[in-house]
Amino acid sequence: MKREPIVTRNFVVCWTLMFFNAMFFFVMFTGMTSYSENGLGLAGASAGLLTSALIVGDLAARMLCASKVDRWGKRRAVAVGMAAAAVVTPLYFVVTEPFALAVVRVVQGFAYGLAGTAINAAVVEGLPASRRGEGIGYFSLSFTISSAIGPFLTLWLLRNGSYESLFVLATVFASVTALLSLLMRDDRAEFASEPKGSRTSVRDFVEPSAVPLSMVGFLFFFAYSGVLTFTSLYGEDIGLEDVATFFFVFISIGTLVSRLFLGRLYDDHGENVALLPFFLVGIFGFFLYAEASEGWHLVVAGVFLGFLMAQLSSVVQSVIVRDAPRSRYSVAISTFNIFLDLSYCIGPMLHGALKDALGFHGNFLLMTVIAVVDLVLYLAVHGARRKGRPTGSARTKGFR
């Protein structure tokens, strides 16, 4: 029996859109703390708040617009959102007052979140149900590659270029995303009018069926946010700063291998086979990271954490879409991303306090414990009830 194709014209267009959209995000997020402290002379707390303004806008977009992108049209949502980002980003050349700059960053984050929600929904709806885990894995490579190139390019420009070059680059990425969105396939049915008299409710931005597994994702990414925030300082603390510089390359290698070769595990065997072994691998990765005393410890820890991060992200998104009504795909994906964004908002602040109280070693050992708790949570809310492949009419409803 011939397998349904994953790589269609629209899949390639959306893959490219997500790559440039994510590059815009990483350039504007990774370089902002340095710009705030060294370019604007802000104190550490103020610099952190200014950096977080981007995430505030992202969260607002996912919460307010997830249920509406189908009515507006996904192509229109991406084009309008990133065109707005391209217009406001050059304001960095003239705006230096912190509050005004924070407003600019909220708009940028809103544009990024709106575009990302629409692109994700377009991809998920276009994937065949029998190959959704594999397809989401391939699609997620766009974010994986940008998460390696974006921060590296930003750090290189900070050392060899100027802050202005970052703003020019971000404007280019936003403009390219807006223009390429015109190539997206869009369904006229997506522009159906909103029912009269409808009221805004929590269900407009949260899909209840997606909440349990989104909580699993939140707990992992909360633990991971400490790694993301403090790896540079941790490397200096344990005398492995040279290896720590490349730590996220090792993360990307693990993620890349997982998404290229392990995406079919979910489609062929179900979520437990695709997740449980990698939970154990990731827990060991956290432990090895906490106990690192030699360079290879960080190398192995990075690859192992990359495995779990990739599997968790792609499998959880596949399952929550599988379990959601077709009309709620956008909201289901947005629910997962809301929980992920919350982990990145809350994580760095709590990790900073824990680091001061427990030290790096104690903090990362605690994150190992949290990873174990996350495994237990997964089993409690989902895994213990699931067996076998994600097939059958009950599991593929809405894909006829």
Side-chain angles (χ1 to χ4, degrees), residues 82-103:
M82 294 315 292
V87 169
V88 301
T89 301
L91 292 176
Y92 280 84
F93 291 106
V94 294
V95 175
T96 57
E97 198 276 322
F99 179 79
L101 201 55
V103 172

Side-chain angles (χ1 to χ4, degrees), residues 61-362:
R62 298 189 190 279
M63 294 176 69
L64 298 175
C65 302
S67 63
K68 299 178 174 61
V69 294
D70 288 331
R71 292 193 294 270
W72 296 342
K74 299 176 185 65
R75 180 173 58 199
R76 180 182 297 177
V78 179
V80 171
M82 294 315 292
V87 169
V88 301
T89 301
L91 292 176
Y92 280 84
F93 291 106
V94 294
V95 175
T96 57
E97 198 276 322
F99 179 79
L101 201 55
V103 172
V104 172
R105 288 184 62 74
V106 169
V107 174
Q108 288 180 305
F110 193 96
Y112 165 76
L114 174 60
T117 298
I119 297 166
N120 271 314
V123 168
V124 168
E125 290 181 5
L127 289 172
S130 62
R131 302 184 69 188
R132 183 165 296 114
E134 185 181 5
I136 289 178
Y138 292 148
F139 174 69
S140 298
L141 283 174
S142 59
F143 195 86
T144 300
I145 295 172
S146 65
S147 70
I149 296 176
F152 171 79
L153 185 59
T154 301
L155 293 176
W156 187 88
L157 286 174
L158 289 176
R159 294 174 182 173
N160 301 282
S162 63
Y163 294 120
E164 288 74 15
S165 61
L166 289 180
F167 308 147
V168 170
L169 193 62
T171 303
V172 170
F173 287 142
S175 301
V176 169
T177 305
L179 291 172
L180 285 179
S181 68
L182 301 178
L183 301 177
M184 284 180 69
R185 189 186 67 192
D186 219 342
D187 191 340
R188 291 178 181 271
E190 294 174 342
F191 296 93
S193 60
E194 186 173 0
K196 293 182 179 180
S198 61
R199 296 181 179 180
T200 301
S201 68
V202 174
R203 283 182 57 87
D204 288 338
F205 51 85
V206 173
E207 166 55 38
S209 66
V211 170
L213 284 179
S214 295
M215 291 170 59
V216 173
F218 170 85
L219 210 54
F220 167 77
F221 284 103
F222 166 74
Y224 175 71
S225 68
V227 175
L228 188 66
T229 304
F230 292 111
T231 286
S232 178
L233 294 175
Y234 181 51
E236 295 177 8
D237 186 68
I238 60 177
L240 296 174
E241 56 268 32
D242 291 338
V243 181
T245 301
F246 295 93
F247 179 77
F248 293 105
V249 175
F250 310 139
I251 290 271
S252 297
I253 290 172
T255 305
L256 188 66
V257 171
S258 174
R259 284 173 172 161
L260 281 176
F261 302 109
L262 303 175
R264 290 204 48 160
L265 282 176
Y266 165 74
D267 295 321
D268 292 342
H269 303 288
E271 50 264 44
N272 283 348
V273 172
L275 273 182
L276 292 180
F278 295 96
F279 259 116
L280 299 177
V281 166
I283 289 168
F284 180 71
F286 274 115
F287 177 76
L288 195 59
Y289 183 86
E291 297 289 341
S293 59
E294 298 183 28
W296 69 268
H297 294 163
L298 289 182
V299 173
V300 175
V303 173
F304 280 11
L305 288 175
F307 280 153
L308 177 55
M309 181 165 61
Q311 286 298 103
L312 186 66
S313 179
S314 60
V315 171
V316 165
Q317 289 185 78
S318 298
V319 173
I320 64 178
V321 169
R322 183 193 70 191
D323 291 349
R326 186 179 181 89
S327 62
R328 302 276 294 174
Y329 287 173
S330 298
V331 183
I333 291 293
S334 178
T335 299
F336 173 77
N337 284 310
I338 286 171
F339 276 79
L340 189 151
D341 287 343
L342 283 172
S343 71
Y344 282 148
C345 274
I346 298 171
M349 292 184 291
L350 290 181
H351 281 291
L354 289 169
K355 174 184 69 69
D356 291 341
L358 304 175
F360 283 117
H361 180 258

